[in-house]
Amino acid sequence: MLTKKTILCIVVSFLSVLGTGVVTSVPSDAPDDIAALRDIKKKQALREKYGIEDKMVLPFEPIPIIEIPGYGNLSAPLVCDELKIQSQNDKEKLAEAKEKVYLKGFYEGIMLVEGYKGQKVQDVKKPIQKMMVERGEAMIYMEPEKQVMSRSADECVVALCDQWYLDYGDAEWKQQANEALKSLETFCEETRRNFEATLDWLQEHACSRTYGLGTRLPWDEQWLIESLSDSTIYMAYYTVAHLLQGGVLNGQGESPLGIKPEQMTREVWDFIFFKTSPFPKTNIPKEHLQRLRREFEYWYPVDVRVSGKDLVPNHLSYYLYNHVAMWPKDNGKWPQAVRANGHLLLNSEKMSKSTGNFLTLSQAIDKFSADGMRLALADAGDTVEDANFVETMADAGILRLYTWVEWVKEMIANQNNLRTGPADTFNDRVFSSEMNSGILKTEQHYERMMYKEALKSGFFEFQAAKDKYRELAIEGMHRDLVFQFIERQTLLLAPICPHLCEYTWGLLGKTGSLMKASWPVAGPVDEVLIRSSQYLMETAHDLRLRLKAYMLPPKSKKGDSKPPAKPSHCTIYVAKSYPPWQHSALSLLGKHYKTNNGVLPDNKVIASELGALPELKKYMKRVMPFVAMIKENLEKNGPRVLDLELEFDERAVLMENLVYLTNSLELEQIDILFASEADDKVKEDCCPGKPFSVFRSEPGVSVSLVNPQPCNGMFSTKVDIRQGDSRDSIVRRLAKVNRLIKDLSRVKLMRYEDPLLGPRRLPVLGQEEQGKLLISNKSVFNINLEEKKVTLADNGLTVDIGDTLVYLVH
Ligand SMILES: *[C@@H]1O[C@H](CO)[C@@H](O)[C@H](O)[C@H]1NC(C)=O
Ligand SMILES: *[C@@H]1O[C@H](CO)[C@@H](O)[C@H](O)[C@H]1NC(C)=O
């Protein structure tokens, strides 16, 4: 246990930010002071309260001491008047006033006072401090910026002790550190800004202490070098450590080259680290020393240093300083990249032993497995923002991994049932392009060390592409694509979940370790095709919403309204072009966009230009909302939204996926028509990429469908027969309620020879077709709604089918 009060010698850099301590505290330049002076002059009661006599304040006016460009020589009274500050209680306005004059005063103010006349304020602060101290008018007083707490949560007593400092404020040194920063990859702007701010204020850093771990200061052995000061160059040591310590960290190991610590003199180190150093006087064999130098030259510079963001203002900045100090002329040895990460939250809260919100690495691995843990950590966050490890997410992640492996096994077991032949349907091509695009994106994310993003594009979205493919590929997934997917998924996920991926790699029958496999090569990406698939998904989504809205009960005042029957049909209208008024508006926007380098003028300008177009007269109310919508889409989706025509054939995309759309909406039929064939209302509501849909219920006559075959699990059911139905459409309808029917071509639809008595006779085992006639796929069903009768037009004959049909499945 540490004692309650820990005594520390505290680093002076806390103090340097406070500056000289010389600030103006006079009514001419300090808003607080002029406000107070005015108050006390104005209010007699206030003077009495503090026992101040009139003659002490009333005759006095502020005396100019500093001239600030734009503020004159009495900046504080001026700013207080400008901001209409009434009294010293106007705290917020006073803070604003201070902000204004202090900064400008410091950087631009010119002294008016004798002895310093004409000099800049920022140049005289130090001399004035010195003068005041010498005259005994001031004394140096230092205090930490804020209360200092030790890591054991004890309050620290701070003392300024005699010390050695590293002068990070040295102009030339600082300038070189800045140069190193310029070529440093920081992966995000925030880290760079943090570095810049640090280099800006960094001054002397106390580098010695009296106790603890560390190396003695060579020229003043009573001091130890404080660890933040010399540890920032240790990467250079790493490059040769294995040849000196033999892989043993505690210093007890034998050097593989037989080198003793005392042989590592300054000259020997210089030889290793500096190409231009002469061969030193030493009894270490030449080839050994050259080996050490080669090793250093091979590994240096440091490609990337990964560390917590809290180390940017100290450790990582010193790291830059120390490298440029060691190799001032050899920027090939300077740090190449720093990746700073945030802290890790657990379940959205700070980790803390005292609250129990705590998880050690080994507990986490026991709980979530190595790969589950790695997945959750990758997903926890990428930037300097704090990452968040959420246990429920980790659980969900494991489940995803499990589902994925199970799916791989299922595909391997069922590979012979997957489709073969050419893989060139719409959805095959979309899936292929989406895989390629996923590989490229994931590659970029890994390169930028954005693991959450890599996980998103390389696992979550990659899987979503597969799920979409599975859903849309009515004709079945293609075997080659499925196995290509599994292989690529395994490779993309391998950096994050290596164990699991090694396992699926084995399932695929690959010989050799996944660790030796190459990154997958992406094929071509058809962006237009991918967008047409997005269009399909959006349209399907939109149709589902519209269907839901259609089925809501109509709003009626009586409140007894019934919801409409589920529609059976839908007509989707697609537009080849925009309605004329939209076409005009869009053309105008497109013209501006092109001539203005991608910037659209103000809405006011657009409105007046559009107002001048005669064809828009009737539509003025709708034009500006349309423009607003286009502007919004432009921001989201880029200049494509200004195109007057779609880049793909909307109708063809929907036609290719008609079965999927019909099934997923549980409709009988979807027709796709051009809006130009529809009435004006539809024409107005429809534009390229935004189809318009109309649902309707077609009436039907209910007929029983019976299955006389024994022991096959098929059942009797009722279906609605509609005007114009065919054998095929009825079988399709049957298959929707009878999920046992997979292959529609195996279904035989029959009618009774005697529609009245037929259904009432007992079926004869083994002679299920007796007394029945096949319904050919050429015949057409006609219905009579009033009498609820169905007839069949077959080869020019019209026959009554009664109320029952028969189906057989072979
Ligand atoms: C301060 O400014 C006023 C107005 O410009 C001027 O008349 C006056 O001489 C100045 N005082 C000093 C000390 O510069
Ligand atoms: C319709 O019947 C003809 C012969 O009558 C056949 O060639 C064709 O494949 C059938 N179509 C369907 C979809 O069953």
Side-chain angles (χ1 to χ4, degrees), residues 63-65 67 72-74 112 117:
I63 300 167
I65 58 165
E67 171 87 34
N73 58 22
L74 288 172
L112 298 172
K117 212 169 184 162

PDB file of all heavy atoms in Angstrom, residues 63-65 67 72-74 112 117, ligand 1:
ATOM      1  N   ILE A  63      -6.407  54.565 -17.780  1.00  0.00           N
ATOM      2  CA  ILE A  63      -5.251  55.179 -18.457  1.00  0.00           C
ATOM      3  C   ILE A  63      -4.788  54.248 -19.572  1.00  0.00           C
ATOM      4  O   ILE A  63      -4.569  53.060 -19.329  1.00  0.00           O
ATOM      5  CB  ILE A  63      -4.100  55.366 -17.451  1.00  0.00           C
ATOM      6  CG1 ILE A  63      -4.563  56.272 -16.314  1.00  0.00           C
ATOM      7  CG2 ILE A  63      -2.856  55.919 -18.148  1.00  0.00           C
ATOM      8  CD1 ILE A  63      -3.617  56.278 -15.126  1.00  0.00           C
ATOM      9  N   PRO A  64      -4.670  54.774 -20.798  1.00  0.00           N
ATOM     10  CA  PRO A  64      -4.247  53.895 -21.904  1.00  0.00           C
ATOM     11  C   PRO A  64      -2.838  53.356 -21.685  1.00  0.00           C
ATOM     12  O   PRO A  64      -1.945  54.127 -21.327  1.00  0.00           O
ATOM     13  CB  PRO A  64      -4.262  54.822 -23.122  1.00  0.00           C
ATOM     14  CG  PRO A  64      -5.072  56.001 -22.721  1.00  0.00           C
ATOM     15  CD  PRO A  64      -4.918  56.146 -21.247  1.00  0.00           C
ATOM     16  N   ILE A  65      -2.680  52.041 -21.844  1.00  0.00           N
ATOM     17  CA  ILE A  65      -1.331  51.465 -21.774  1.00  0.00           C
ATOM     18  C   ILE A  65      -1.004  50.589 -22.990  1.00  0.00           C
ATOM     19  O   ILE A  65       0.147  50.312 -23.274  1.00  0.00           O
ATOM     20  CB  ILE A  65      -1.117  50.639 -20.485  1.00  0.00           C
ATOM     21  CG1 ILE A  65      -2.148  49.514 -20.387  1.00  0.00           C
ATOM     22  CG2 ILE A  65      -1.146  51.515 -19.251  1.00  0.00           C
ATOM     23  CD1 ILE A  65      -1.771  48.455 -19.351  1.00  0.00           C
ATOM     24  N   GLU A  67      -2.131  49.745 -27.166  1.00  0.00           N
ATOM     25  CA  GLU A  67      -2.911  50.087 -28.360  1.00  0.00           C
ATOM     26  C   GLU A  67      -3.182  48.781 -29.119  1.00  0.00           C
ATOM     27  O   GLU A  67      -2.243  48.058 -29.480  1.00  0.00           O
ATOM     28  CB  GLU A  67      -2.096  51.060 -29.220  1.00  0.00           C
ATOM     29  CG  GLU A  67      -2.653  51.358 -30.606  1.00  0.00           C
ATOM     30  CD  GLU A  67      -3.664  52.517 -30.589  1.00  0.00           C
ATOM     31  OE1 GLU A  67      -3.479  53.441 -29.785  1.00  0.00           O
ATOM     32  OE2 GLU A  67      -4.626  52.450 -31.383  1.00  0.00           O
ATOM     33  N   GLY A  72      -8.464  50.435 -30.424  1.00  0.00           N
ATOM     34  CA  GLY A  72      -7.960  51.688 -29.862  1.00  0.00           C
ATOM     35  C   GLY A  72      -7.068  51.457 -28.663  1.00  0.00           C
ATOM     36  O   GLY A  72      -6.523  50.367 -28.480  1.00  0.00           O
ATOM     37  N   ASN A  73      -6.936  52.468 -27.804  1.00  0.00           N
ATOM     38  CA  ASN A  73      -6.041  52.331 -26.677  1.00  0.00           C
ATOM     39  C   ASN A  73      -6.771  52.091 -25.355  1.00  0.00           C
ATOM     40  O   ASN A  73      -6.177  52.080 -24.296  1.00  0.00           O
ATOM     41  CB  ASN A  73      -5.062  53.505 -26.602  1.00  0.00           C
ATOM     42  CG  ASN A  73      -5.792  54.850 -26.496  1.00  0.00           C
ATOM     43  OD1 ASN A  73      -6.962  54.896 -26.082  1.00  0.00           O
ATOM     44  ND2 ASN A  73      -5.104  55.937 -26.857  1.00  0.00           N
ATOM     45  N   LEU A  74      -8.088  51.933 -25.433  1.00  0.00           N
ATOM     46  CA  LEU A  74      -8.860  51.576 -24.228  1.00  0.00           C
ATOM     47  C   LEU A  74      -9.778  50.411 -24.617  1.00  0.00           C
ATOM     48  O   LEU A  74     -10.982  50.578 -24.780  1.00  0.00           O
ATOM     49  CB  LEU A  74      -9.672  52.777 -23.742  1.00  0.00           C
ATOM     50  CG  LEU A  74      -8.850  53.904 -23.089  1.00  0.00           C
ATOM     51  CD1 LEU A  74      -9.723  55.127 -22.829  1.00  0.00           C
ATOM     52  CD2 LEU A  74      -8.212  53.434 -21.779  1.00  0.00           C
ATOM     53  N   LEU A 112       2.185  51.255 -24.923  1.00  0.00           N
ATOM     54  CA  LEU A 112       2.236  52.716 -24.977  1.00  0.00           C
ATOM     55  C   LEU A 112       3.058  53.263 -23.815  1.00  0.00           C
ATOM     56  O   LEU A 112       3.380  54.446 -23.761  1.00  0.00           O
ATOM     57  CB  LEU A 112       0.814  53.297 -24.888  1.00  0.00           C
ATOM     58  CG  LEU A 112      -0.153  52.911 -26.005  1.00  0.00           C
ATOM     59  CD1 LEU A 112      -1.570  53.396 -25.675  1.00  0.00           C
ATOM     60  CD2 LEU A 112       0.311  53.498 -27.333  1.00  0.00           C
ATOM     61  N   LYS A 117       7.586  51.396 -24.964  1.00  0.00           N
ATOM     62  CA  LYS A 117       6.796  52.019 -26.026  1.00  0.00           C
ATOM     63  C   LYS A 117       7.104  51.402 -27.395  1.00  0.00           C
ATOM     64  O   LYS A 117       8.272  51.243 -27.747  1.00  0.00           O
ATOM     65  CB  LYS A 117       7.100  53.506 -26.062  1.00  0.00           C
ATOM     66  CG  LYS A 117       5.923  54.326 -26.502  1.00  0.00           C
ATOM     67  CD  LYS A 117       6.188  55.798 -26.273  1.00  0.00           C
ATOM     68  CE  LYS A 117       4.946  56.592 -26.625  1.00  0.00           C
ATOM     69  NZ  LYS A 117       4.976  57.922 -26.044  1.00  0.00           N
TER      70      LYS A 117
HETATM   71  C1  LIG B   1      -5.633  57.265 -27.047  1.00  0.00           C
HETATM   72  O1  LIG B   1      -6.478  57.394 -28.167  1.00  0.00           O
HETATM   73  C2  LIG B   1      -7.139  58.634 -28.238  1.00  0.00           C
HETATM   74  C3  LIG B   1      -8.126  58.584 -29.415  1.00  0.00           C
HETATM   75  O2  LIG B   1      -7.533  58.071 -30.546  1.00  0.00           O
HETATM   76  C4  LIG B   1      -6.055  59.736 -28.417  1.00  0.00           C
HETATM   77  O3  LIG B   1      -6.678  60.997 -28.474  1.00  0.00           O
HETATM   78  C5  LIG B   1      -5.097  59.658 -27.241  1.00  0.00           C
HETATM   79  O4  LIG B   1      -4.033  60.586 -27.440  1.00  0.00           O
HETATM   80  C6  LIG B   1      -4.519  58.285 -27.099  1.00  0.00           C
HETATM   81  N1  LIG B   1      -3.742  58.169 -25.896  1.00  0.00           N
HETATM   82  C7  LIG B   1      -2.517  57.659 -25.852  1.00  0.00           C
HETATM   83  C8  LIG B   1      -1.842  57.665 -24.540  1.00  0.00           C
HETATM   84  O5  LIG B   1      -2.009  57.177 -26.863  1.00  0.00           O
END
